[in-house]
Amino acid sequence: MTAKPATHNLGLLPEGLSDRLPPQAEASARLVRDVLDTVAAHGYARVMPPLAEFEETLTARLQSAGAEDLLRAIDPVSQRTLALRPDMTAQVGRIAATRLAKAIRPLRLCYAGPVLKLRADQLRPEREEMQLGAELIGTDSVAAATEVVTVAIEALQAAGVEGITIDFNLPDLVDQLAAGPLPLDAELIAPVRARLDAKDAGGLVALGGKAAAYLPLIEATGPFHAAMERLEAIDAALGDKGVLASRIAALRAIAKPIDWDITLTLDPTERHGFEYHSWFGFSIFAAGFVGEIGRGGSYAIMHGDGREEPAMGFSLYPDPLIDVGFGREAARFLFLPPGHDADQAKGLRGQGWRTVAALDEADDGRALGCTHWLDVAGPVAY
Amino acid sequence: MTAKPATHNLGLLPEGLSDRLPPQAEASARLVRDVLDTVAAHGYARVMPPLAEFEETLTARLQSAGAEDLLRAIDPVSQRTLALRPDMTAQVGRIAATRLAKAIRPLRLCYAGPVLKLRADQLRPEREEMQLGAELIGTDSVAAATEVVTVAIEALQAAGVEGITIDFNLPDLVDQLAAGPLPLDAELIAPVRARLDAKDAGGLVALGGKAAAYLPLIEATGPFHAAMERLEAIDAALGDKGVLASRIAALRAIAKPIDWDITLTLDPTERHGFEYHSWFGFSIFAAGFVGEIGRGGSYAIMHGDGREEPAMGFSLYPDPLIDVGFGREAARFLFLPPGHDADQAKGLRGQGWRTVAALDEADDGRALGCTHWLDVAGPVAY
């Protein structure tokens, strides 16, 4: 073999960064558009934060593990470290706390764009993914939670997503119970949460102290109505009409307007992915894909003066759905032979046809993927 | 003053990276959507290349100055240097030459997404900008040029862009004339091109040799029809029915289907921005903004086996238009008071209303930017 320039490698992309080709790229763009159209119709105004920020600005607002997950670049202009955004929610929070700090509340904002992670996670090899969502800033009330969950479901349905499951969570429930009716020594709170998260009943009992009192929460998991009844039984046994009763009432209110064709589940002590949520969280699943395609809940936005502002929102990560074939539309492609009538072709595009014009006598409409060709009288199927 | 945490700086963004807020962000998204809808109707299929690639893959395909203009990051996964894309055309070329190398030609692809430059240029302080466009791969014929110019104009008009000017260029004209009817010493070609580009008649004559023979090209610039007549006079004087005659015929053919409401100009020897174009180039301008908003033309895509494939395309950079106020739509926002009829509100959203639901008795629709509120009988103007 003779030495060849290494140009055959010039098609290689870094791990987790890939091209999306026509059917998937179009399905992805269509899904983003349909979701944002619904969100916009509910009064959420679009914002577009930049792809990169100063690392310190971004990490100041990234919660939990986010800050370790940044792809960094040195900016020769500022001589400072930039980070590519791994998440847009933190950026929307920054906008709400700075340039839109004085905008009247509740403030409704929405967004869509690519985000970049340093490393892929176990479930997905992709490091770049599409994120889109909506944030309701200035309140984390039950009414706000109801709106956010309702809008998320309506948007996904408008985009054609089927078999939607919403899993409700109460991220701070253990903290609240430990501070109230089910007291726990401070050093036991984290282990109790971890055992509950893992549904590890044996491990929970083995922790000793009053950890065993949390055992019934493991059972209050699964299909929404049965799990809620178990949660109500726990509440009745507590005899304390405080935090748990109010959370039960909130979940009932949020679930009430949701259509019967949505599957609801409850996992009150699930923590994974809700580390920065306050009282309410939810995960979104769809038929045809095992992992979650989105999540949301209540959180706080930090202002420059130290004030924390309540907020509620959801984010969707629809790429896995697209990858498993969601949303591929069978388009009608119409071949326009040489000498076709340009006005007739324009009229047909107005009716939804996608036209492919011959540039050369040799162009073959069928080979170019067209389903029809334009005869004088109109489109004819191949 | 007491020391305060530096959180007041946490709203600061790097130079040239900025947030786009509601009216502009929505106008930008709408323009991208409208342009891509038109392009898709002409058979161009969407691709989505990644935000970052290996630096060497990207620079191998970036023409001229592009390679110096990259924001770089070290990828801890591959231990190699990544670069953020400063341009998507090169990525689309890579896709055409690799994963879609065997797809039938002509191959029509379109794209939209953010690109990142290391430094801002003189005209624009932004380092991140939106790029969108369409590429027709496998031919750079006159028919291909006609389609690309026509589709670019139709797409901009569909998006509501007015006062469109198209400036035609013939990037390799001097090379072709120098190799044929107006011979030039090799070392004079670059200086002649530079003087013509600068419209520097005195400088051109001062170059000596046969440079002065190129003087008439400076006058063949300006409004299309008058400039074309001057170009035809040059051709007649040459007495050589070769390259110039064929370029004149091509420009006449490309201009023929263009509507009278588009302003056409000619600058045959303009080179800036067309360094990598072959025989044909064009710039796009719009009313209300002085710089160009897009450009296009013919070029070549490099394949792994060294083969070059002809291609034709255009790219738009619409951000400046958006920044000067293009496309802000006066939306009708409808406040939904507490206890409103949810089905009535849904019906109104279906008619194009954007609704803002009260979450609290204290919510004030007018203060929230609504133009109307929902009474039992329907929307009422504030």
Side-chain angles (χ1 to χ4, degrees):
Chain A
M1 274 179 69
T2 54
K4 263 180 75 173
T7 45
H8 60 283
N9 278 329
L10 293 182
L12 198 69
L13 291 172
E15 198 180 317
L17 296 171
S18 55
D19 295 314
R20 187 150 272 177
L21 297 186
Q24 290 90 346
E26 298 198 356
S28 172
R30 198 178 317 115
L31 186 142
V32 170
R33 167 191 297 205
D34 291 346
V35 166
L36 287 183
D37 276 352
T38 301
V39 166
H42 283 273
Y44 291 76
R46 182 85 178 253
V47 289
M48 293 181 173
L51 283 174
E53 297 192 12
F54 290 128
E55 180 187 13
E56 68 179 66
T57 318
L58 209 51
T59 54
R61 292 191 179 275
L62 285 173
Q63 320 280 348
S64 65
E68 296 148 31
D69 201 28
L70 293 175
L71 195 64
R72 294 170 173 83
I74 294 295
D75 179 13
V77 175
S78 63
Q79 300 288 333
R80 289 171 65 186
T81 305
L82 302 185
L84 278 296
R85 66 182 180 209
D87 168 69
M88 292 177 78
T89 310
Q91 295 187 302
V92 176
R94 176 181 52 69
I95 291 173
T98 57
R99 290 183 65 191
L100 296 181
K102 294 201 162 65
I104 189 162
R105 268 46 175 173
L107 175 65
R108 290 171 171 89
L109 300 175
C110 65
Y111 56 90
V115 297
L116 266 179
K117 294 179 296 181
L118 190 62
R119 292 169 211 282
D121 60 29
Q122 309 101 299
L123 281 176
R124 294 261 307 155
E126 295 305 318
R127 295 196 281 164
E128 174 179 341
E129 61 182 349
M130 176 60 68
Q131 181 184 7
L132 67 161
E135 308 298 329
L136 177 50
I137 294 146
T139 170
D140 64 355
S141 68
V142 175
T146 308
E147 172 168 314
V148 164
V149 172
T150 309
V151 170
I153 293 171
E154 189 181 321
L156 286 167
Q157 287 179 321
V161 176
E162 292 180 347
I164 298 170
T165 292
I166 305 287
D167 186 42
F168 291 113
N169 309 273
L170 295 169
D172 72 350
L173 184 62
V174 171
D175 294 313
Q176 296 290 334
L177 291 174
L182 291 177
L184 269 184
D185 292 339
E187 70 276 13
L188 269 186
I189 292 179
V192 163
R193 283 204 309 225
R195 301 302 182 284
L196 286 170
D197 207 10
K199 311 280 176 287
D200 177 4
L204 190 64
V205 174
L207 285 175
K210 295 184 173 161
Y214 286 79
L215 212 43
L217 282 174
I218 293 184
E219 298 301 316
T221 293
F224 185 73
H225 294 287
M228 284 292 281
E229 282 172 15
R230 275 175 243 130
L231 207 55
E232 281 162 338
I234 297 170
D235 183 49
L238 283 180
D240 173 304
K241 295 296 140 200
V243 58
L244 187 51
S246 84
R247 295 295 154 81
I248 288 168
L251 290 177
R252 291 261 183 229
I254 296 164
K256 197 176 169 202
I258 297 177
D259 279 350
W260 60 269
D261 57 344
I262 305 297
T263 303
L264 299 183
T265 59
L266 178 67
D267 191 348
T269 57
E270 163 85 26
R271 292 279 301 169
H272 179 70
F274 295 96
E275 293 83 357
Y276 77 98
H277 285 91
S278 54
W279 71 270
F280 175 64
F282 63 104
S283 303
I284 307 170
F285 301 85
F289 181 71
V290 289
E292 65 181 32
I293 58 161
R295 67 171 56 146
S298 63
Y299 60 99
I301 288 172
M302 180 186 67
H303 282 254
D305 58 7
R307 181 169 59 93
E308 294 205 331
E309 182 174 23
M312 185 73 72
F314 72 90
S315 283
L316 301 175
Y317 303 89
D319 287 349
L321 264 189
I322 302 295
D323 292 338
V324 297
F326 170 79
R328 293 200 208 163
E329 217 171 54
R332 293 184 309 172
F333 280 92
L334 176 65
F335 182 65
L336 306 176
H340 69 270
D341 180 334
D343 288 335
Q344 188 187 12
K346 189 169 187 173
L348 289 164
R349 280 193 295 272
Q351 294 167 30
W353 286 92
R354 295 178 65 176
T355 62
V356 176
L359 297 175
D360 193 289
E361 290 290 343
D363 286 356
D364 176 347
R366 196 199 301 243
L368 285 166
C370 292
T371 53
H372 296 69
W373 63 278
L374 182 58
D375 198 357
V376 178
V380 180
Y382 271 113
Chain B
M1 275 179 66
T2 56
K4 265 180 74 171
T7 45
H8 59 284
N9 278 330
L10 291 182
L12 198 68
L13 290 174
E15 199 182 317
L17 296 170
S18 55
D19 295 314
R20 186 150 273 177
L21 297 186
Q24 290 90 344
E26 298 197 356
S28 173
R30 198 178 316 116
L31 187 142
V32 169
R33 168 190 296 206
D34 291 345
V35 166
L36 287 183
D37 276 352
T38 301
V39 167
H42 283 272
Y44 290 77
R46 182 85 177 253
V47 290
M48 293 181 173
L51 283 174
E53 298 194 10
F54 290 127
E55 181 188 11
E56 67 178 66
T57 319
L58 210 50
T59 55
R61 292 189 179 276
L62 285 173
Q63 318 283 345
S64 66
E68 295 146 31
D69 202 30
L70 293 174
L71 196 64
R72 294 170 174 82
I74 294 295
D75 178 14
V77 174
S78 62
Q79 299 289 331
R80 290 171 65 185
T81 306
L82 302 186
L84 279 296
R85 64 181 180 211
D87 166 68
M88 292 177 80
T89 310
Q91 295 186 303
V92 175
R94 176 183 51 69
I95 291 173
T98 56
R99 288 181 65 192
L100 296 181
K102 293 201 163 65
I104 190 161
R105 266 49 176 174
L107 175 63
R108 289 171 170 89
L109 300 175
C110 65
Y111 55 91
V115 296
L116 266 180
K117 294 178 297 181
L118 189 62
R119 293 170 211 282
D121 61 30
Q122 309 101 301
L123 281 174
R124 296 258 309 153
E126 296 304 318
R127 295 198 280 165
E128 175 178 341
E129 60 182 349
M130 176 60 68
Q131 181 185 6
L132 66 160
E135 309 297 330
L136 176 51
I137 294 145
T139 170
D140 64 356
S141 67
V142 174
T146 308
E147 173 167 313
V148 164
V149 172
T150 310
V151 169
I153 292 171
E154 189 181 320
L156 287 166
Q157 287 180 322
V161 176
E162 292 179 349
I164 297 170
T165 292
I166 306 288
D167 185 42
F168 291 113
N169 310 271
L170 294 169
D172 72 349
L173 184 62
V174 173
D175 295 313
Q176 296 290 334
L177 291 174
L182 292 176
L184 270 184
D185 292 338
E187 69 276 13
L188 270 185
I189 294 179
V192 164
R193 283 203 310 226
R195 300 305 181 283
L196 286 171
D197 208 10
K199 312 280 175 288
D200 177 3
L204 191 63
V205 173
L207 285 175
K210 295 184 173 160
Y214 287 80
L215 210 45
L217 282 175
I218 293 185
E219 298 301 314
T221 293
F224 186 72
H225 294 288
M228 284 292 281
E229 283 171 16
R230 275 176 244 129
L231 207 56
E232 282 162 338
I234 297 170
D235 183 49
L238 283 181
D240 174 301
K241 294 298 141 196
V243 59
L244 187 52
S246 84
R247 296 293 153 80
I248 288 169
L251 290 177
R252 291 263 182 227
I254 296 164
K256 196 176 170 202
I258 298 176
D259 280 349
W260 59 268
D261 57 343
I262 304 299
T263 302
L264 299 183
T265 59
L266 177 67
D267 191 348
T269 56
E270 163 86 27
R271 295 278 304 167
H272 179 71
F274 294 98
E275 294 83 356
Y276 78 97
H277 285 91
S278 52
W279 70 271
F280 175 63
F282 64 103
S283 302
I284 307 170
F285 301 84
F289 181 70
V290 288
E292 65 180 32
I293 59 162
R295 69 170 56 146
S298 63
Y299 61 99
I301 289 172
M302 181 185 65
H303 282 254
D305 57 7
R307 183 170 57 94
E308 294 205 329
E309 182 176 23
M312 185 73 73
F314 72 90
S315 282
L316 302 175
Y317 302 89
D319 288 349
L321 264 188
I322 303 295
D323 292 338
V324 297
F326 171 80
R328 295 202 206 161
E329 216 170 56
R332 294 183 309 173
F333 280 92
L334 176 66
F335 182 66
L336 306 176
H340 68 271
D341 180 332
D343 288 333
Q344 187 187 14
K346 188 170 187 173
L348 289 164
R349 280 193 295 273
Q351 294 165 31
W353 286 92
R354 294 177 65 173
T355 63
V356 175
L359 297 175
D360 194 289
E361 290 289 343
D363 286 354
D364 176 347
R366 198 198 301 240
L368 285 166
C370 292
T371 53
H372 296 70
W373 63 278
L374 184 58
D375 197 358
V376 177
V380 179
Y382 273 113

